[in-house]
Structures are given as C-alpha cells and as structure tokens.
Amino acid sequence: MAFSGKNPTCTFLFFLTLSLLALYTLLHHPFPFPAPSSPAANVFLSSGSNYTVAAYLRQLTLRPHLAGTPLSLSTALYVHSHFQSLGLPAHTTNFSALLSYPAHSSLSAHFSNGSVLPIPLSEPGSSGVIPPYHAYSPSGAAHAPAVFLNCGRELDYLALAAQGVDVKGCVGLLRRGCGLSRHEAVANAAAHGVAAVLMYTEGEFREGVERGTVMKGVGDPLSPGWAGGEKLEPDDPKVARRFPGVPSLPVSEVAAERILGSLEGARMPFEWRESFKTGNRRFWGVGPGPTKLNFTYKGEQEMATIHNVFAVIKGSEEADRYVLLGNHRDAWTYGAVDPNSGTAALLDIARRFSLLMRSGWSPRRTIILCSWDAEEFGMIGSTEWVEQNLLNLHSKAVAYFNVDCAVQGPGLFVSATPQLDDLLVDVTKQVKDPDSENEYVYERWAAANGGVNIQRLSRVDSDFAPFLQHAGIASIDLYFGKDFPVYHTAFDSYDWMMNFGDPLFHRHVTVAGIWGLVALRLADDPILPFNYLSYATELQEYKNVLNTLLGESISLDPITAAIQEFTTAAYEAEEEIKKLRVDGSTLLRRRGLNDRLMLTERGFLDPEGLPGGQWFKHLIYGPRGDMDSKIDFFPGIADAMSERRKKGGEEATIRHEIWRVSRAIQRAASILRGEVT
C-alpha cells in the first residue's frame, strides 16, 4: 500500500483508523484463515453494502439497453457520471462498428391436416424489448418441411443419415448446447444443405427466447485485427465468411415442442431422447415433415457508435503498470444477470476505492475500471480497445480480471491462468460466503468441488478473450451460479434477480469483495503475487494427457524438455521472490522481477496464431476448431489431432504444432528467467 505523503496528519489518521478497524474485526470476527493482508483490505471488505449494489442494479435495468441504441448510451452516461461523482478520473472511448438488428421476422407451422398455426417469436408481455433474433444472421425465407437436428453436431447429421433422413432444403430445428456456438450450429446446417434454422433452449422459463450472435470470432467484423480507421466492405470475403450462409431465428421451448411433436418419419435416436432436460419426452419423429414451416427473417446491418467507459486510479509508485477490472454493460434485454450484476459490482468497487482514496490511500500501481460495450455482438468493445492499445498493454498490463454474469445463482465458479491460482485461494479465505453465516467462500467452494476447482480460459465467451488469447495478459473470470434459466431472454430482469438470483444481494457483495481484494493485491503488493509453479504443474498434466491420447506414435520430447526448462525457471523465480521478501530489495531489483512475472504470459503467444484463427495467438489456451476434441488446451495440437482422426490429416502437422507449443513454453521460461540465449 502506498500513500501520497502530501498530508502527514491525514496519513496518520488514516493509519490509526484502519488499525482500529482491523483490531475490531479480528476481535469480533476471528478468521479461521489468515486475515486480509492490509488495513486497506479490511476497510474495503467492511464497506460493502447490499443495499447500494441493489440500487445500482435497479438503475441499470430500468429499460432494455442493446448496444448501439440510445438507451444503451444512457447506461454509458450513468456509469461515467457515477465514476465522476466519486471523484475518479473518468473518460469514454468510442468506436464505430458494424452491428446487426432485426427488421422483420415471422414463422408459421402448416400441419398435415391443413391447419396453420402462427408461431409467436417474442415472449409474453415483452413489449419494448427488441424481438428475438440472431445478430448477423443473413436475411432469407423458406417454406419447407421441418426436420429435427438435435444439437446440430456432425455426429447428429451422421445419426440422421444412418436412418435415411435427408435434411437438404428443410427448415432445421435444433436445440442449444452440446458445446457448439450458435455460429457453429448454423454453419453446420448450411454445410448440410439446410435452408433455414430455428434454435431453442431448454430450461425452466419455457416461454423465454434466447437471443444471441451468430458471428464467428470477436471484434468489429469490418476491422479484423485492428481498431478504427480503415473499414472493409460488408461484402469483402474476410467479412462475409464470418457470417453463416443461411438465416436463423431463436424460438421458445414451447414453440419448438409444438413443432417437434408434429413430426413423423424416423424415430428420434434413444440417446437424443435421454438427453432432453425438460418437457414431454415422447418418442417424437425427426421428420422431415409432414409439418411445413413458413420462415421469414429480414435483418439490417448498420454502423453504430459503441461506448467504452473507464475510471483510472493512478498508481503512486508504478503508474505505468495497469491492473484492469472489466465488465460489459450492454444487454440483449434488461440484463439484470447478464451483464449488469457484474456492472453493479464494478460500480460498488469504484465506490469502495473512492472511500479509501478519501482517507489517503492510493494504489502502488494504476487500477483501471473498464465498462465495455457491444460484448453481446462478439466482444466488440473490449476487442477494439485491446487492438488499439496492444503495444501499451503488452508492456504495461499486469493482469485482467473479468466479471460478466456476476450472480446467476449459488456456488462460486472461477477460471484463471494458473499463475493466479494461489492469489485466488488466498482471497477467498478472507471473504465471507454469501450463503452461509459462519463460513468463508473458500470453505464452501472447496467442499462443493472436493477441493479447489479453477477452470482455464480456452473458451471465447466474454471479454477476457482479447486480453489473454490475443494480448497474452494473465486473466481471471469469475461468477456465482453455473447458469440461469432466463439467459438472453426478456425475463432477465431486476424482478428475476430479486425473486430468484440473489434476493438479498449478498452474492453481489461477495463478488465485489473478491474482485476488489484481488485488485488490491495486484496493485499494492511490492512483489506481484504470481506463482508459476502452478503453471508448470498444469503444463505437465497437459503433457501427460496428450501422451495418453497419442501413445508412442508421435514423440512429445520437445514439449517435455520445454516444460522441464519452464519448471526450473519457476522454481528459480520462487526462490528469488522469497529472498527479496526476506532481505528487502532495491526498487530496481523488484521492478525487474515484477516485469518478468508480468511478461511471462506473453511468451505463450505466437505471431502466426492458431491455424484457421490467426487472431488467436495463445498456444496454451484458445478456441478449438473442433468442439468434439478431447482436450481443451494446446488448441493447435488439438485441431491437428482432430484433423487426422476425421480426415486422415498428416502426422507432420501434429509434430509441427508440438514444436510450436514447445517453443512457446521455452519463450515463457526465458522471459521468467530474464535471460537471452
């Protein structure tokens, strides 16, 4: 913790106040684990307020606020005004991006008895909310037999073909899930000759309709890999290939079952029926027909202005080192869970930091609070900003902590790059659990999972993606609750949060507590709280899994040698950290060590990126091209293995990807050591 030193009396009173508060906390609320590491951390925790965070969420969710609309701008102004009212330096960075909106859609079912049923596409009582649609879906129409595609995976089409089902020219009905993105599901349908796609989600709110994007990749499609200035034309092949070739619409589960129950033809495979979550499980046919669907969708793509809002708390000693906390603000509808439970927590963190600052505290390193726009269209706001600031972030960003749907329900779920594992464990031992009066988050978290369970960040579903997978910045993603039944529907409202998600807003306060304490540690610890031994252990486990899958057919010696080198570097770094903590250190020595700890993650980047997805540069964590892959790490190797398994690809391709990963691990080891070879 660092102070400005401009007012000695204020500084003395600050220390005295914090010390008394810390003593009171220890006497009246003894910790089974180590207490927070600084007086500022104690005050930060004690200043949480469920009433305040509830008021923030209420204000944010008064009206729908889809990106690019005037109502979305109003939420940006609200966040900016909030930061300013707290005395935090705030600014807005705008980008012009291609967004997508619905102009007209209709659907009707024509049954074999001659009756016609108009299918409602919106939820009951959802006036004022944008009609359900898939952003970037091409316009189109079809009047054709309906066919059920299950999840739309390749193995689902194989199952249909085995029963003689021809899907060409049909309107395909499929359900969300099985690990496929919307884009993958619709693109697969187009590749099999399906004329149009209807997509539904199973859940408790069966009349809800899940909106979403069907664009491939992230960022403004007109500026792939750069921000601002030059724009490609919408019909440029680089743009067009990011959108599916056939139109699609989301529908409710109720509407889907009405169609599904009218289909005849081949019977639904047993494994499909068994995997249904809700609803009637009759042995439906899969079609095609005899029911025909009259499908129409017309969409409009237009340039829109999106608004990223920032508050910057400048560091007193290392102002050029950035700890970034981010959450997106735009929503398909009201967005009480997704994303404004996270936005409300971010606003509360800003309030708590402001209280600390008024008492004389300032962080050692700069903290930047980031409110992103247009995430729902494909992480556009965060991606454009990362691309615009890439070189500065490469040299100055310590870590990025993302919270999207902060509160979906009970239970903590964490994903992170491995060097941050220990920090997360430490912090969860200091924050009270929201669903248990006498326990801390760590206790409930570990008990629920049989030990600490920290996932990794190979998926591409929130704003951590550009930071980690493009810029190589150590990252965290955190939320309470595994999923929620009103996802992307008109029912994602403040009322749902009050009734189901977090009635007392205790989980919101807990998320803000974890988020803020991690930020305080990253910003104030003299030596960054990174532990690369955790990373070395993960890499070794990945190699072992890979060895089991490949057997002796392909040598993993290059990766084995690289991991040994990285492990040695990690042990050396830990010894250096221990020595500097005991013996003290000059600012220059500490700065040098911190830079190596900060920059090591960048070593896992490869300028060529992943095959078929060059924008994604990280060779340890990144999206796989094949969702049926058995591994969710080393994405280049995973895709090369899938290519060989499905299409008889070359072993040489797998060996090349193995060498690329080994070189990335060696680069990271060299950075951690601070040596050139």
Side-chain angles (χ1 to χ4, degrees):
M1 183 174 66
F3 293 85
S4 62
K6 294 179 181 178
N7 190 330
T9 302
C10 179
T11 301
F12 171 76
L13 291 174
F14 176 63
F15 272 120
L16 179 62
T17 301
L18 295 191
S19 298
L20 291 172
L21 280 170
L23 179 61
Y24 176 86
T25 300
L26 289 172
L27 289 174
H28 293 271
H29 303 282
F31 284 84
F33 303 112
S37 56
S38 70
N42 277 312
V43 172
F44 181 88
L45 285 178
S46 66
S47 60
S49 166
N50 53 345
Y51 173 83
T52 303
V53 78
Y56 295 151
L57 185 65
R58 179 61 178 161
Q59 185 63 38
L60 287 161
T61 58
L62 287 174
R63 294 171 292 183
H65 45 283
L66 184 64
T69 66
L71 291 178
S72 182
L73 174 59
S74 70
T75 62
L77 295 174
Y78 171 69
V79 171
H80 187 273
S81 175
H82 175 76
F83 288 155
Q84 285 192 319
S85 71
L86 297 172
L88 304 180
H91 69 275
T92 300
T93 301
N94 299 333
F95 293 97
S96 179
L98 184 72
L99 302 186
S100 167
Y101 304 99
H104 170 75
S105 57
S106 64
L107 180 68
S108 59
H110 298 246
F111 300 113
S112 58
N113 62 5
S115 63
V116 178
L117 176 67
I119 304 292
L121 293 175
S122 295
E123 298 96 340
S126 60
S127 60
V129 176
I130 197 161
Y133 78 111
H134 285 156
Y136 303 109
S137 168
S139 300
H143 186 84
V147 65
F148 184 55
L149 307 174
N150 196 30
C151 297
R153 300 164 297 180
E154 191 61 33
L155 61 88
D156 293 324
Y157 289 102
L158 291 173
L160 290 171
Q163 298 192 72
V165 177
D166 185 2
V167 303
K168 290 184 177 64
C170 295
V171 176
L173 175 66
L174 59 82
R175 53 179 174 153
R176 284 275 287 136
C178 305
L180 262 66
S181 68
R182 296 179 196 87
H183 172 87
E184 289 167 327
V186 181
N188 285 351
H192 285 273
V194 174
V197 173
L198 297 174
M199 196 178 297
Y200 76 98
T201 305
E202 298 175 275
E204 298 171 28
F205 283 70
R206 301 180 66 244
E207 293 182 314
V209 186
E210 183 189 305
R211 298 146 180 85
T213 182
V214 290
M215 181 180 72
K216 181 181 181 180
V218 300
D220 179 11
L222 301 187
S223 58
W226 67 88
E230 179 188 7
K231 296 286 186 182
L232 301 179
E233 293 297 325
D235 59 356
D236 187 292
K238 293 180 181 178
V239 178
R241 70 188 180 201
R242 297 182 66 177
F243 309 142
V246 297
S248 63
L249 278 171
V251 295
S252 70
E253 186 178 13
V254 170
E257 288 192 351
R258 182 69 182 89
I259 298 167
L260 189 54
S262 71
L263 297 183
E264 298 177 6
R267 287 299 181 186
M268 186 183 297
F270 177 77
E271 59 271 18
W272 295 10
R273 298 196 305 265
E274 285 297 296
S275 65
F276 272 61
K277 294 180 181 178
T278 60
N280 194 329
R281 300 187 183 183
R282 291 178 298 161
F283 292 174
W284 290 310
V286 297
T291 300
K292 290 186 176 182
L293 297 176
N294 193 351
F295 171 108
T296 303
Y297 174 72
K298 179 175 175 53
E300 294 178 344
Q301 294 184 356
E302 59 184 68
M303 298 303 297
T305 301
I306 61 174
H307 316 275
N308 294 334
V309 184
F310 303 91
V312 181
I313 305 173
K314 194 170 183 180
S316 59
E317 294 184 21
E318 298 181 73
D320 61 340
R321 293 294 179 263
Y322 307 147
V323 175
L324 301 118
L325 314 184
N327 158 267
H328 80 92
R329 187 185 62 254
D330 64 296
W332 289 112
T333 62
Y334 299 98
V337 176
D338 184 8
N340 297 130
S341 59
T343 310
L346 187 70
L347 297 184
D348 197 53
I349 286 172
R351 179 187 64 84
R352 298 199 218 181
F353 282 164
S354 177
L355 289 174
L356 288 174
M357 292 172 69
R358 287 201 293 271
S359 299
W361 168 86
S362 63
R364 179 187 304 273
R365 304 176 187 92
T366 295
I367 297 173
I368 304 178
L369 308 181
C370 313
S371 176
W372 309 116
D373 202 357
E375 187 269 357
E376 297 293 8
F377 287 83
M379 282 66 79
I380 292 178
S382 58
T383 296
E384 297 305 294
W385 189 78
V386 167
E387 290 173 346
Q388 186 178 69
N389 295 278
L390 189 60
L391 292 180
N392 265 328
L393 292 171
H394 270 167
S395 60
K396 300 176 181 179
V398 172
Y400 175 70
F401 194 152
N402 185 72
V403 172
D404 189 333
C405 306
V407 179
Q408 305 177 89
L412 179 67
F413 294 85
V414 182
S415 301
T417 46
Q419 72 273 53
L420 296 169
D421 288 358
D422 287 358
L423 172 60
L424 286 163
V425 168
D426 288 347
V427 166
T428 56
K429 290 178 178 179
Q430 299 165 14
V431 180
K432 292 298 291 288
D433 189 89
D435 299 306
S436 177
E437 185 176 349
N438 299 312
E439 289 186 295
Y440 287 80
V441 170
Y442 173 82
E443 296 172 277
R444 299 268 294 189
W445 181 28
N449 295 285
V452 170
N453 179 23
I454 300 178
Q455 300 296 311
R456 301 308 170 200
L457 293 167
S458 284
R459 63 188 195 275
V460 186
D461 60 3
S462 195
D463 291 301
F464 60 80
F467 286 91
L468 174 62
Q469 297 167 6
H470 188 67
I473 296 166
S475 297
I476 301 170
D477 187 58
L478 177 146
Y479 47 92
F480 263 85
K482 189 173 184 179
D483 49 32
F484 62 108
V486 296
Y487 174 69
H488 286 189
T489 74
F491 303 127
D492 183 9
S493 65
Y494 185 81
D495 286 345
W496 186 88
M497 184 63 75
M498 285 285 293
N499 290 318
F500 302 103
D502 192 16
L504 298 178
F505 286 84
H506 290 162
R507 295 168 187 155
H508 283 76
V509 174
T510 298
V511 169
I514 297 171
W515 205 358
L517 283 195
V518 168
L520 286 174
R521 290 285 308 276
L522 291 169
D524 278 346
D525 279 15
I527 298 174
L528 290 175
F530 287 7
N531 182 354
Y532 280 99
L533 289 173
S534 296
Y535 223 130
T537 299
E538 283 286 287
L539 292 173
Q540 184 62 45
E541 290 180 2
Y542 298 161
K543 195 269 295 184
N544 292 342
V545 171
L546 202 58
N547 192 63
T548 300
L549 293 173
L550 289 173
E552 298 180 357
S553 61
I554 299 177
S555 173
L556 293 178
D557 288 349
I559 289 182
T560 300
I563 292 173
Q564 289 174 346
E565 185 177 340
F566 184 88
T567 302
T568 300
Y571 274 112
E572 291 171 353
E574 279 301 295
E575 289 302 313
E576 185 176 356
I577 289 169
K578 292 176 183 177
K579 183 177 180 181
L580 291 182
R581 282 175 177 164
V582 173
D583 299 343
S585 62
T586 65
L587 179 62
L588 188 61
R589 287 183 64 193
R590 196 170 62 215
R591 171 84 166 195
L593 173 60
N594 283 336
D595 281 356
R596 284 152 42 206
L597 295 171
M598 177 183 73
L599 294 173
T600 295
E601 191 71 45
R602 318 292 195 264
F604 297 120
L605 302 179
D606 189 292
E608 294 181 6
L610 299 178
Q614 286 74 24
W615 185 88
F616 297 96
K617 308 293 185 184
H618 207 288
L619 297 191
I620 312 301
Y621 301 117
R624 297 158 292 162
D626 178 14
M627 294 308 297
D628 292 331
S629 173
K630 296 181 180 180
I631 59 175
D632 59 359
F633 50 85
F634 300 162
I637 298 175
D639 285 348
M641 291 169 61
S642 295
E643 186 75 11
R644 186 183 69 161
R645 184 179 70 253
K646 292 184 174 182
K647 300 178 182 179
E650 297 285 339
E651 284 192 0
T653 304
I654 300 177
R655 285 195 291 270
H656 175 64
E657 292 300 325
I658 288 171
W659 276 108
R660 285 219 300 159
V661 168
S662 70
R663 289 192 291 270
I665 297 171
Q666 287 175 325
R667 283 194 299 271
S670 295
I671 295 170
L672 189 55
R673 277 192 167 129
E675 298 175 353
V676 293
T677 56

